[in-house]
Amino acid sequence: LVSANVLAQSAPATNTLSTVTVTGDSPLKADQAASSKFTAPLVDTPKTVQVITEEVLQQTGATSLQEALKATPGITFGNGEGGNPTGDQAFIRGMDAQASTFVDGMRDIAAGSREVFNLEAIEVIKGADSAYAGRGGAGGAINLATKKAKNENFIAGDVSLGNADYKRATIDLNRKINDTTAFRLNAMTHDSEIAGREGPKSKRWGIAPTITFGLGTPDQLTLSYQHLDVDDMPDGGVPYYYNSKTIPGMTSDVTLRPTNGGNRNNWYGLKARDKRKEQSDLFTANYEHKFSDTNKLRNTLRWSGSEQDYIWTQPDDSQGNVANDKVWRRFNSRYSKTYTLQNATEFTGKAETGSIKHSFALGLELSTERSKVDSYSMVDANGNAIANSNQCVTGLSPYMCTSLSNPNGNDPWTGSMVRANAFTNYKTDTASLYAFDTLTLTPQWIVNGGLRYDHYKTSVINTKSAEFGRSDNLLNYQLGVVYKLQPDASIYASIGTSSTPGNAGLGQGADASLDPTGGRAPITNADLLKPEKTRSYELGTKSDLMAN
């Protein structure tokens, strides 16, 4: 006890610890966009830009582009409605963004599904943005930033198992070959049923090798390849119950609601007929030369090819069959191939003119795009055509009609699907010049401006071998003013424009075609219509809540 008292009396009355300051970047946020067209940090960019980082993709368990963007405000996805092909058909602020989807800043226009196994960020730009994205962009654009080789050694992977026979595995391997060369490999396999549905499945695999020479030197060359293979059994959903009755002296009383015949597992497709197969390949060569720590020249060359082949059942939602416990198996089909060749040269850097600081990007983009689209028809065992019509009434085919409460999607059939071999061909050539500059006038005032010119030449040859085409010159701009309330917060005002010419989607969506005879409601002078113009104004504030 004595010893304890002595120790207590000799201890200091207070203990003062030295101050510890912890700093670091949060992997959940991005300070700078991957695209060099954004010449200022995001907090100083006078436009709505959302960046979903690789860490967010991992923590949310996203396995597709649709899953990655489902929590992003202002974005919805289509599912083949209105004549659009199936796949990742994003609508930003209600506008079709099929033609405004990019991979590493280069247009990726082909319809189809996209994966996240080779992505390190997804950038979503909202508002009219043809200054950044060229044609289209009335509602915004999506840019997918792929993984690059790094000057370090690591390996990471993930194996997932779940209900509905869910199986998924990914691997991310990076290796230094020497002090200036590194190799990275990303690969993925995915196989699962659709939970709560009796029939649909999702199956795909992908591989993406990348090698970089000249890491840490003034001259750097990166060669990359990405392949994605999809083999799904598609799900067309459930039909609507439509019933109307007319009461004398009153307007029609209409009942319209989705129904699954009393069982959510009911699937109205036909396994022996339905399919969705896709293949896509991207080859990219990127060369960078650094003149200084801030100024560099970049050239990117890319070839891409994509094939989409599907037949999927759209359950009857319009013919009154459901009230009689019947579902018309109307089928939607498509066979298409898309090829693009693109080259982008860009000079980025920083400079000063007097007291004004500049952060700029100047670029030239050249591209040629081609696509061809075909469809299927159905014939019986004798080679006779089966009409894609409401045969729940005519009874001509047991395959085109099924029970609402007990569909026979697993039953065998003797019919076959035959390609029409009547392609519609689309082609587009584009040459673009752009310039962006962020001018820091004072520590509080920043002006951001961008100007882009596109020479756009396009044509379509329909099934009757009639060709329609036109050429347009598109001039678009982006202008914004930022006032810094403090280093990590600002208010801004901006204006931006977009131009959407005919054939902007290259046949990869139900966009305005040049063909006056095409579409559900043909436009007789479609090839004479000028590009649609959109202008958007934006007033907002930004604050870096996770600033160091």
Side-chain angles (χ1 to χ4, degrees):
L1 291 175
V2 173
S3 176
N5 287 336
V6 171
L7 290 173
Q9 292 173 2
S10 62
T14 58
N15 291 326
T16 302
L17 300 177
S18 59
T19 301
V20 177
T21 302
V22 179
T23 61
D25 295 327
S26 170
L28 299 176
K29 76 179 184 74
D31 297 320
Q32 189 81 34
S35 173
S36 53
K37 294 174 184 175
F38 291 92
T39 53
L42 292 175
V43 72
D44 296 332
T45 298
K47 197 168 187 66
T48 299
V49 182
Q50 180 179 359
V51 179
I52 303 169
T53 65
E54 183 180 0
E55 183 69 18
V56 173
L57 294 175
Q58 292 176 352
Q59 291 193 16
T60 58
T63 61
S64 67
L65 181 62
Q66 292 195 27
E67 290 184 358
L69 295 178
K70 65 183 179 182
T72 301
I75 293 185
T76 57
F77 279 88
N79 190 32
E81 303 94 340
N84 284 284
T86 62
D88 296 330
Q89 183 200 1
F91 290 83
I92 304 177
R93 294 182 174 177
M95 308 298 291
D96 191 349
Q98 175 65 45
S100 302
T101 303
F102 298 79
V103 175
D104 294 326
M106 306 188 83
R107 196 180 307 276
D108 186 48
I109 198 169
S113 301
R114 295 177 175 86
E115 252 281 351
V116 300
F117 78 98
N118 191 38
L119 297 184
E120 61 183 18
I122 301 174
E123 299 172 347
V124 181
I125 309 167
K126 296 178 183 178
D129 72 328
S130 283
Y132 296 98
R135 72 179 193 262
I142 299 171
N143 182 44
L144 311 179
T146 60
K147 296 177 180 178
K148 307 295 189 298
K150 299 182 179 180
N151 197 16
E152 57 181 302
N153 292 321
F154 64 82
I155 183 171
D158 180 77
V159 176
S160 303
L161 301 173
N163 66 327
D165 203 23
Y166 179 89
K167 302 179 289 292
R168 180 180 173 89
T170 63
I171 187 170
D172 186 355
L173 171 69
N174 196 97
R175 283 292 179 266
K176 291 176 57 178
I177 298 176
N178 55 46
D179 291 341
T180 61
T181 306
F183 172 79
R184 188 169 184 176
L185 175 67
N186 279 269
M188 170 277 306
T189 180
H190 179 109
D191 188 0
S192 70
E193 297 178 355
I194 307 302
R197 304 290 287 155
E198 191 64 46
K201 296 186 67 175
S202 177
K203 186 176 182 180
R204 57 187 181 270
W205 65 272
I207 188 168
T210 297
I211 187 168
T212 299
F213 305 93
L215 284 168
T217 70
D219 294 282
Q220 179 175 298
L221 174 65
T222 299
L223 304 176
S224 62
Y225 167 65
Q226 176 179 295
H227 174 82
L228 180 63
D229 191 290
V230 176
D231 186 4
D232 290 352
M233 179 59 65
D235 187 0
V238 300
Y240 276 80
Y241 174 80
Y242 176 85
N243 189 26
S244 65
K245 59 183 178 179
T246 302
I247 301 175
M250 300 180 65
T251 59
S252 296
D253 181 17
V254 178
T255 300
L256 182 64
R257 58 178 171 80
T259 179
N260 53 33
N263 185 353
R264 187 184 185 280
N265 291 335
N266 282 341
W267 173 66
Y268 299 96
L270 194 61
K271 281 189 175 181
R273 181 186 72 182
D274 294 6
K275 64 178 180 178
R276 185 162 76 97
K277 297 179 183 291
E278 297 172 355
Q279 289 187 351
S280 62
D281 297 277
L282 285 83
F283 296 89
T284 307
N286 177 273
Y287 169 75
E288 292 184 2
H289 174 73
K290 294 183 179 179
F291 297 97
S292 65
D293 291 338
T294 58
N295 295 2
K296 65 181 178 181
L297 180 69
R298 177 192 297 116
N299 188 84
T300 304
L301 177 66
R302 172 176 295 160
W303 178 90
S304 66
S306 179
E307 179 178 324
Q308 186 178 55
D309 184 5
Y310 67 71
I311 302 163
W312 65 276
T313 295
Q314 178 179 333
D316 170 35
D317 60 358
S318 63
Q319 301 299 314
N321 299 304
V322 174
N324 299 316
D325 194 43
K326 299 290 185 180
V327 177
W328 167 32
R329 280 192 176 122
R330 170 186 170 186
F331 69 84
N332 293 272
S333 67
R334 177 182 173 92
Y335 179 79
S336 69
K337 291 186 175 182
T338 305
Y339 302 99
T340 68
L341 181 62
Q342 304 173 73
N343 190 86
T345 303
E346 186 177 58
F347 178 60
T348 59
K350 298 182 183 297
E352 295 186 13
T353 54
S355 61
I356 300 177
K357 297 180 180 179
H358 299 265
S359 179
F360 61 86
L362 308 171
L364 168 66
E365 296 178 354
L366 305 172
S367 68
T368 180
E369 303 163 281
R370 302 290 186 269
S371 76
K372 49 193 299 187
V373 181
D374 197 11
S375 61
Y376 284 87
S377 59
M378 189 166 69
V379 298
D380 61 20
N382 298 318
N384 299 315
I386 300 176
N388 191 19
S389 60
N390 178 19
Q391 299 197 23
C392 288
V393 176
T394 60
L396 296 178
S397 169
Y399 313 119
M400 298 299 288
C401 185
T402 190
S403 166
L404 172 68
S405 55
N406 188 29
N408 60 341
N410 292 315
D411 285 3
W413 71 309
T414 57
S416 59
M417 303 302 297
V418 180
R419 281 252 313 276
N421 286 319
F423 285 100
T424 300
N425 293 274
Y426 304 83
K427 61 180 179 180
T428 296
D429 297 318
T430 309
S432 309
L433 285 169
Y434 64 83
F436 291 91
D437 193 7
T438 295
L439 297 84
T440 303
L441 308 179
T442 69
Q444 286 74 40
W445 288 99
I446 298 173
V447 175
N448 174 275
L451 189 67
R452 182 185 179 104
Y453 168 82
D454 294 86
H455 178 66
Y456 174 81
K457 184 178 181 181
T458 187
S459 67
V460 56
I461 301 178
N462 64 23
T463 56
K464 300 177 182 179
S465 298
E467 182 171 2
F468 303 91
R470 65 174 291 127
S471 179
D472 291 292
N473 297 315
L474 315 176
L475 185 64
N476 291 281
Y477 63 87
Q478 169 75 26
L479 181 63
V481 178
V482 178
Y483 177 72
K484 302 283 289 184
L485 299 170
Q486 52 187 353
D488 56 1
S490 62
I491 58 174
Y492 68 89
S494 68
I495 181 174
T497 64
S498 71
S499 300
T500 308
N503 219 31
L506 202 71
Q508 302 305 295
D511 63 305
S513 173
L514 295 177
D515 184 356
T517 66
R520 291 184 174 181
I523 302 174
T524 56
N525 61 336
D527 55 330
L528 302 178
L529 297 179
K530 294 182 178 180
E532 179 184 87
K533 299 286 187 177
T534 305
R535 182 182 296 111
S536 66
Y537 303 89
E538 191 168 326
L539 178 65
T541 179
K542 292 186 179 183
S543 181
D544 191 349
L545 301 179
M546 305 178 74
N548 295 331

